[in-house]
Structures are given as C-alpha cells and as structure tokens.
Amino acid sequence: MTLQTIDPRDRLIVALDLPDVDAAEAMIARLGDSVTFYKIGYQLGYAGGLPLVRKLADTGKKVFADLKMHDIGNTVARGVESVAKLGATFLTVHGYPQTMQAAANASKGSGLKILAVTVLTSYDNEDLKAAGYQLGVSDLVAARAQQAQALGIDGLVCSPEEAGNLRKHIKPEMCLVTPGVRPAGSDVGDQKRIMTPARAIVEGSDYLVVGRPVMEAADPKAAAEAIVAEITQALANK
C-alpha cells in the first residue's frame, strides 16, 4: 500500500489518552468500526495499557505506540524489539541520530515502522531557546527530518504547520504523522501549532492524531466519523 492509497479511515489515529484500561476499552467499544487506528501513549501505557496493543492488533486494529524512546542505543534497540512483538504499527523515538539509528536497525524485518519526533507540537521558538537550542522550530524540524531520512526512518511526527514544507524535502514513501489537529471550534488545549483536519491533509499530512475532540465529545463515534468525512473530502479536493 502506498501513502496515496491509504483508506481515509486509517488516516485518523484516535489518541486513547485515558487513565486506565477499562476506560480505554469502553471508549473503543463506543467507537466501534468508526476507528481503525489508535494511539497509546504515556498515560495509558504506564497504567497497564501496553498489553492492549496486542489485544487491538489481534482484532485487526492498528496501534501507534507513542513512547518517544530516547536512551543509549542498546536500550533503545531492545525496547523497539519488544514493541514489535506486541504487534504495533508505529513507534515513536526522539529525533536524535544515535536513537534513530538504533531504532531503525532494530525494527528491520518486523512490521513496525519507526517515526521520529522532530519538535513537540507544544513547543515554539521561545520554548526551544529556553531549552538551550540555537535553532528555531522550523530549522530544527528540517534538520531532524534530513537526519531521519538519511538513517532510514519510516516517517516523521511533526506539526501540521511543518508538513507542507517537509513534504517537499523528503522521500515520497516517508509518512508524516501530525498531532495538533483540531476540528474547527475545538479547544486548542496545550497545543501551540495546530490545524484543522482538512487543512492538515491539504498541507501534506498522511495521518492525523486526534485525542480530546473525540474523547470529550458528547458522541465520540459521530465526532470520529465527522473527522473521517472531512479527511475524505480533503483528499478528493487535493
């Protein structure tokens, strides 16, 4: 399957940012067949949610393990191997060269795709400056994207604001996964670089990560279906 032929439903990744497995399973049941792809991150993962990766995979769902690994190479490699055995589709690592290289090597031969986090969508230029970086957001994103491509990383996590520019400079088969996506009228929360689903697709995003606008909706299934419809329309208009 090429990036151009991905089913619109598979392009929506719903973030299961919930406090425990029971809450996550209840939400999955409510969403039913409206969602095919889920993200499990720190909150649920540390609350006993990692076995849910295997459970979801066994039922035909795709799972994005958003664990943002970053450690010495051997530790990263062993972690990647463990996540691959769970049946995850995507795994995030931070976009540092040694970390990306270890992850890319460890994932070979498995179905797991490694995504490099460029710059967190809650960061802006002032946040990077405070953390000691000399580069601003756009320059640091570009630098890490180039390193990721050279090291054989499968895709990038970036703000939808960076997607359009990155798409011009990376291989067509590298996917762009974008958090910071909010349907029009949604609360932006702690995100600083956001975009609507339609606009993110037009700008070059392949997968959209959406959490609170679905999780906190009065009707989560309807909210998810509305986002998929918006993605479908945006693809038709590209």
Side-chain angles (χ1 to χ4, degrees), residues 40-196:
I40 293 177
Y42 287 169
Q43 183 182 18
L44 184 58
Y46 289 147
L50 287 181
L52 189 57
V53 175
R54 167 56 62 192
K55 187 172 181 179
L56 284 166
D58 286 346
T59 62
K61 302 291 188 182
K62 299 177 179 65
V63 183
F64 170 13
D66 189 17
L67 303 180
K68 298 184 180 69
M69 291 184 179
H70 180 47
D71 210 311
I72 63 172
N74 183 66
T75 299
V76 170
R78 300 293 82 79
V80 169
E81 291 168 359
S82 294
V83 173
K85 291 176 183 176
L86 290 174
T89 300
F90 290 158
L91 169 67
T92 44
V93 301
H94 276 291
Y96 294 83
Q98 288 186 14
T99 295
M100 291 191 289
Q101 186 68 79
N105 291 342
S107 68
K108 289 178 180 177
S110 73
L112 180 65
K113 294 186 181 300
I114 303 298
L115 307 177
V117 177
T118 53
V119 176
L120 296 173
T121 54
S122 61
Y123 278 34
D124 59 18
N125 289 336
E126 289 304 310
D127 294 314
L128 289 179
K129 183 178 179 180
Y133 287 91
Q134 294 181 341
L135 297 178
V137 170
S138 60
D139 289 337
L140 185 56
V141 167
R144 287 182 167 173
Q146 291 170 357
Q147 291 171 330
Q149 179 166 274
L151 294 170
I153 294 299
D154 299 294
L156 302 169
V157 178
C158 64
S159 160
E161 289 183 359
E162 284 100 45
N165 186 54
L166 283 176
R167 181 52 70 199
K168 300 173 186 175
H169 300 292
I170 61 174
K171 298 180 292 185
E173 59 268 29
M174 283 189 76
C175 66
L176 296 180
V177 179
T178 56
V181 174
R182 293 287 186 273
S186 296
D187 181 10
V188 301
D190 54 4
Q191 303 286 2
K192 294 183 179 178
R193 300 178 349 260
I194 64 171
M195 197 170 283
T196 65

Side-chain angles (χ1 to χ4, degrees), residues 33-51:
D33 60 4
S34 66
V35 174
T36 62
F37 213 145
Y38 287 99
K39 180 180 82 75
I40 293 177
Y42 287 169
Q43 183 182 18
L44 184 58
Y46 289 147
L50 287 181

